[in-house]
Amino acid sequence: MRCSRTFLAPNSCWGGRKTGRCEKTLHLSTQREREKKSKARRKIARKIPPPKMRKQTQRELNPHPDPNTSRLGMMPGARVGRYPDGALRSGKYLTTSASSCGAGSAGMEGSECLQLLLRRCREAKDCAYCPYSRFPVGAALLTAGGEIFSGCNVENACYSLGVCAERIAIQKAISEGHTRFRAMAIASDMSDFITPCGACRQVMREFGTDWDLYLTKPDGTYIVKTLQELLPLSFGPEDLHKA
């Protein structure tokens, strides 16, 4: 029952004005608000499935890319594109330290495997250790066997000991026995397309020139360049036998 007494609210948020609601009424109103919030929380909690069910649902809805439908190879056609931001934000693709994608001769454009490669380089960027340059970079490397290895730049107080994301991804792949590569995607926060430094290009050159580099921007666009285009007239292992 509403109380007809009038009192001066002590709290400054009331502005010192008189109100027709007594302390008991204010208390009941606050209690009702708490109960409403508590019910809303319980309703949300009921909608969230338990962890075990959540994992099962994720496996059913978001399987690994099918090697038979997302073959990997070099892109003979379009060299500019855009990957779906929604898929990147939604966590649609399962990522592990070495995710698998089928290898083949068909183009990557628009394939799930390309989206996975681009996603992995963005995720790697978030792990970058760059307290000095504040310039995070992530890279994802696709091997000839269809596995993906990611890397991020790692800086050091002795500046010259810092290592680029592209070289870390290559070193991880080599440490697992891979020396043939098909593509690499690189991501950063800069407004323009990110490109590898000269040292990274030379390290990539060690393992051939006929593989693609996906150079991305934060807005989701990318361009594709071959290593031959980024490092023309290069020096490689075969040149050592020409002396």
Side-chain angles (χ1 to χ4, degrees):
M1 180 176 178
R2 188 180 176 104
C3 181
S4 60
R5 283 185 299 150
T6 302
F7 77 101
L8 186 65
N11 197 326
S12 61
C13 68
W14 288 79
R17 297 190 303 273
K18 290 185 177 181
T19 175
R21 302 173 68 186
C22 71
E23 292 183 4
K24 184 176 180 181
T25 308
L26 289 172
H27 175 72
L28 290 173
S29 176
T30 306
Q31 190 174 3
R32 288 193 198 99
E33 290 295 326
R34 287 190 190 133
E35 288 175 357
K36 282 183 184 177
K37 289 179 181 178
S38 179
K39 285 181 182 178
R41 288 194 202 99
R42 287 198 295 271
K43 190 175 181 181
I44 292 171
R46 282 197 297 269
K47 290 182 179 179
I48 301 175
K52 190 175 288 187
M53 187 184 298
R54 219 177 307 154
K55 288 180 181 177
Q56 183 180 357
T57 305
Q58 187 178 20
R59 282 196 299 270
E60 292 171 356
L61 296 178
N62 310 317
H64 279 292
D66 185 0
N68 298 320
T69 58
S70 51
R71 293 292 187 181
L72 298 180
M74 299 304 99
M75 293 175 52
R79 312 301 288 175
V80 181
R82 184 182 185 90
Y83 53 86
D85 290 326
L88 295 173
R89 286 196 299 269
S90 65
K92 182 178 179 183
Y93 302 108
L94 179 64
T95 58
T96 59
S97 59
S99 300
S100 176
C101 288
S105 59
M108 287 174 58
E109 190 69 29
S111 70
E112 288 185 351
C113 203
L114 172 57
Q115 293 178 30
L116 176 59
L117 187 70
L118 295 165
R119 174 184 168 81
R120 287 292 302 279
C121 75
R122 284 170 60 104
E123 289 178 341
K125 174 179 68 72
D126 295 334
C127 298
Y129 177 75
C130 51
Y132 309 109
S133 70
R134 304 290 181 185
F135 191 85
V137 180
L141 177 66
L142 176 66
T143 68
E147 290 189 79
I148 294 176
F149 293 87
S150 60
C152 61
N153 55 324
V154 179
E155 296 180 349
N156 192 279
C158 180
Y159 291 174
S160 61
L161 295 181
V163 187
C164 297
E166 298 91 328
R167 279 180 277 166
I168 287 184
I170 290 173
Q171 290 163 4
K172 285 172 67 175
I174 292 173
S175 69
E176 296 294 328
H178 300 275
T179 56
R180 295 175 58 236
F181 309 120
R182 290 186 175 273
M184 176 182 282
I186 311 170
S188 76
D189 291 333
M190 66 183 292
S191 58
D192 202 357
F193 296 107
I194 180 68
T195 57
C197 70
C200 288
R201 298 182 196 198
Q202 184 60 46
V203 171
M204 295 175 192
R205 171 63 180 86
E206 182 72 14
F207 306 99
T209 59
D210 191 23
W211 45 297
D212 284 348
L213 296 176
Y214 290 80
L215 314 175
T216 73
K217 291 203 301 188
D219 65 359
T221 56
Y222 63 83
I223 58 175
V224 190
K225 296 284 186 181
T226 64
L227 188 55
Q228 179 67 38
E229 292 177 295
L230 292 181
L231 194 65
L233 302 175
S234 60
F235 181 86
E238 62 276 7
D239 294 309
L240 295 175
H241 304 294
K242 296 178 181 179

